[in-house]
């Protein structure tokens, strides 16, 4: 997801209805964890945030799952001086679509991440150096299982809903498959049950940009160093896939930097869109780890529900949750038909599922943007009655 | 354009109807040439090929204009052992849509190119080193003016048609604007009257990949050396934009390299689409110059007929040629509406123009692929009567 979309929520940050100041917390799981690959860690940490209050039955919980470049900080501010609130602040807060006066919201940085959770940039106790490529391969299912351990630690009995866009939508679906009795509702937006060749291709170009940067050094670099050039290139390219031709044309068109309209014969920045993309790349390398980028894009590439379970219907067979899939018309990374396919497979598997397609021209990142239509949809789905057949015991 | 599409023409290469063995030639223009930027060269060379025979009135000429990564070798073989014929061999030859028994076909590597025409990798007589960034900035209009000098040198009185896809379509349009009395027909395919923000953005990511590669060294590198890593990354990314989600899914889907279906936890190549893209990158760096890539993508970014002439209608005001624009439904780099817009502006300017939209799922490079529908369209347009008002004098 892009770095700048959360900006849109800034004007409201001091008004009523904001989560306000929040403090990230760490969950240290001090027991061995076996990854889907068979590799193990002696333990791991997940950094997370919570908003709202857990109810007496410990089941008014909404788990938010972040996308590739997101993190646990999805609402509120860390300090009063923060320029940006959490990345889904427009959706989450008192009286908002995800209403923190009703729900207890949990969001964790994924296992393999670089914003406080254990990942390749964490210190390997065996060497006292960053794990680098010694870190186990992470899959979406590993992310889900580790977050379930966090929820158990928090004494949560059931999820009112699990909610995510893009990779977050993959986690949400996987959660409902892995823990069917635990998950009452799923909202999966701008996502896919498996990446197609084009999405794998874009990820691979990004990985090559990183791995071919001499500073990558087979993943062995000091914290804060590493393949900054390659990571910036990967991010610039990926950013184009998060937006749309129409939105870039509206935002930048062919406007020149400064006030010229032509005649500037140079390879330096000339068009505003170039300057914007370079900013995206530079902002990213200051907050993201290149090895995490490799690991998480591989997790995305490997996500393939039909292949793992035999078919998408078979994948969804255990699901007890009600599911809402949301596609966005201008999303060309995980287009509407891939989101609709999720709902169709759920329906064929006899599940309670619905699909909404929102007309936007903002591309893949539409799930992050201000939309009353989306808010209404999310609110109505979250406040509907849970299906009668649900078993809340674990 | 991609490196592999010409493969499709290979099976026919020894059958009747082939151009056969061809020899590139060099046109050395030994007089000063002033670029649109005001910069000058003391002279330049264009490498070109011709097929067919020039008629007595010296006007049965079809000029073929190549795309970003193309060259003068658009049909036939250089040696009997050549594995690939020229890049538009399926379209050009005896009895083909561009029938070399009727037409004299000319195709030149563009000024600024790296396949024999003078460009940044050519030797700067002032230093005896490659020009590098000392080469003048090239625009589409410079490419057109230099090719007109070649046509004059060949004693050609008029163009029966000028024909090109992608950047080649830009040259074709610019030719008809610059030399209205000289050009009877234009076929511009998969092109645009100006690049939008997304196309500029992809070009910029490619340029950054090149310029941030330490081997680029501000454009100062030995011939055959230079930023090979950055150029390969640029090409891999650009390649994705030349095809389509659907065609990549059909060709590769999620197939694994070798015969595994999962469990391969590695950042090495796993998916066939990754292997294919890496091959595209590697093949490209062995035949293309990184500085030329910078110069030509900048020429593409700067191409903006509405801005230069005030409006697209004004740009087309001098045109005397009949024009056929061809859009391809799956082209998301220069989508059908950008091609249709060309025809609409020509019609508003009172010109003879038509538009055809071909349904393909092969993306931008559809103009290069085998299509009886396209052949029929091109043949019919080329063999129609020239408009009566044409003035053949120069």
């Amino acid at each position: 997801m892009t770095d700048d979309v959360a900006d849109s929520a800034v004007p409201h940050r001091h008004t009523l209805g904001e989560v306000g100041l929040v403090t990230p917390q760490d969950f240290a799981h001090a027991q061995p964890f076996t990854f889907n690959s068979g590799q193990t860690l002696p333990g791991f940490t997940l950094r997370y945030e919570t908003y709202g209050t857990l109810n007496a039955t410990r089941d008014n919980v909404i788990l938010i799952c972040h996308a590739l470049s997101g993190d646990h900080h999805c609402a509120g501010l860390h300090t009063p001086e923060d320029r940006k609130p959490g990345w889904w602040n427009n959706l989450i807060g008192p009286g908002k679509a995800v209403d923190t006066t009703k729900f207890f919201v949990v969001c964790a940085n994924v296992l393999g991440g670089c914003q406080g959770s254990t990942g390749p940039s964490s210190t390997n106790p065996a060497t006292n150096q960053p794990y680098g490529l010694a870190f186990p391969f992470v899959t979406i299912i590993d992310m889900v299982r580790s977050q379930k351990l966090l929820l158990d630690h928090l004494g949560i009995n059931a999820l009112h809903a699990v909610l995510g866009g893009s990779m977050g939508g993959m986690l949400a679906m996987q959660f409902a498959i892995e823990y069917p009795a635990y998950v009452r509702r799923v909202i999966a937006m701008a996502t896919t049950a498996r990446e197609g060749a084009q999405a794998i291709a874009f990820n691979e170009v990004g990985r090559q940009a990183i791995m071919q940067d001499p500073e990558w050094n087979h993943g062995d670099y000091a914290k804060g160093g590493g393949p900054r050039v390659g990571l910036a290139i990967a991010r610039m390219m990926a950013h184009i896939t998060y937006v749309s031709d129409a939105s870039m044309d509206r935002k930048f068109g062919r406007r020149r930097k400064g006030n010229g309209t032509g005649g500037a014969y140079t390879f330096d920045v000339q068009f505003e869109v170039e300057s914007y993309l370079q900013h995206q790349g530079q902002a990213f390398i200051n907050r993201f780890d290149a090895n995490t980028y490799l690991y998480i894009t591989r997790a995305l590439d490997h996500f393939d529900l039909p292949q793992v379970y035999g078919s998408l219907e078979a994948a969804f067979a255990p699901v007890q949750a009600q599911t809402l899939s949301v596609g966005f018309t201008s999303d060309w990374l995980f287009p509407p038909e891939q989101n609709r396919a999720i709902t169709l497979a759920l329906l064929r598997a006899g599940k309670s599922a619905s699909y909404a397609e929102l007309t936007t021209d903002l591309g893949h990142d539409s799930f992050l943007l201000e939309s009353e239509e989306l808010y209404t949809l999310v609110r109505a789905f979250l406040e509907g009655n849970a299906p009668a057949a649900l078993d809340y015991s674990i």
Side-chain angles (χ1 to χ4, degrees), chain A residues 298-350:
Chain A
R298 258 305 185 224
L300 291 169
D301 293 349
H302 277 171
F303 186 69
D304 187 345
L305 293 178
Q307 189 257 320
V308 171
Y309 297 91
S311 72
L312 196 48
E313 291 79 352
F316 290 143
V319 168
Q320 297 181 30
Q322 291 182 302
T323 300
L324 171 64
S325 298
V326 184
F328 298 90
T329 50
S330 56
D331 182 356
W332 59 277
L333 187 62
F334 299 145
E337 49 273 31
Q338 295 185 15
N339 291 276
R340 197 162 44 230
I342 291 164
T343 301
L344 291 174
L346 281 159
L347 292 173
R348 278 196 300 271

Side-chain angles (χ1 to χ4, degrees), chain A residues 66-86:
Chain A
H66 68 73
L68 166 55
S69 64
D71 58 27
H72 53 280
H73 183 42
C74 62
L77 301 171
H78 284 161
T79 72
E81 293 73 37
D82 268 2
R83 288 183 51 242
K84 282 186 182 183

Side-chain angles (χ1 to χ4, degrees), chain A residues 77-151:
Chain A
L77 301 171
H78 284 161
T79 72
E81 293 73 37
D82 268 2
R83 288 183 51 242
K84 282 186 182 183
W87 55 267
W88 225 348
N89 194 67
N90 61 339
L91 194 77
I92 302 163
K96 294 189 185 178
V98 176
D99 188 346
T100 51
T101 65
K102 296 178 181 165
F103 299 115
F104 181 65
V105 175
V106 181
C107 183
N109 186 213
V110 295
L111 186 62
C114 54
Q115 307 294 347
S117 294
T118 305
S121 61
S122 303
T123 301
N124 181 347
T127 63
N128 243 348
Q129 299 293 318
Y131 279 101
L133 293 200
F135 197 79
F137 278 88
V138 184
T139 62
I140 300 297
I141 210 164
D142 297 319
M143 298 175 187
V144 162
R145 287 176 182 161
S146 58
Q147 295 196 17
K148 176 64 163 51
L149 291 169
L150 164 63
L151 298 172

Side-chain angles (χ1 to χ4, degrees), chain A residues 27-35 40-45 149:
Chain A
F27 159 57
H29 181 72
Q31 290 163 44
F33 181 83
T34 303
F35 288 74
T40 58
L41 279 184
F44 64 81
T45 295
L149 291 169

Side-chain angles (χ1 to χ4, degrees), chain A residues 37-61:
Chain A
S37 67
Q39 296 164 290
T40 58
L41 279 184
F44 64 81
T45 295
L46 291 188
R47 185 158 293 173
Y48 68 99
E49 292 183 2
T50 69
Y51 324 118
T53 308
L54 187 59
N55 65 4
T57 48
R58 309 183 80 84
D59 64 354
N60 65 328
V61 180

Side-chain angles (χ1 to χ4, degrees), chain A residues 195 199-201 203-204 207 296-304:
Chain A
E195 278 195 345
I200 296 173
N203 282 343
E204 174 65 4
R207 281 190 296 266
I296 298 188
T297 55
R298 258 305 185 224
L300 291 169
D301 293 349
H302 277 171
F303 186 69
D304 187 345

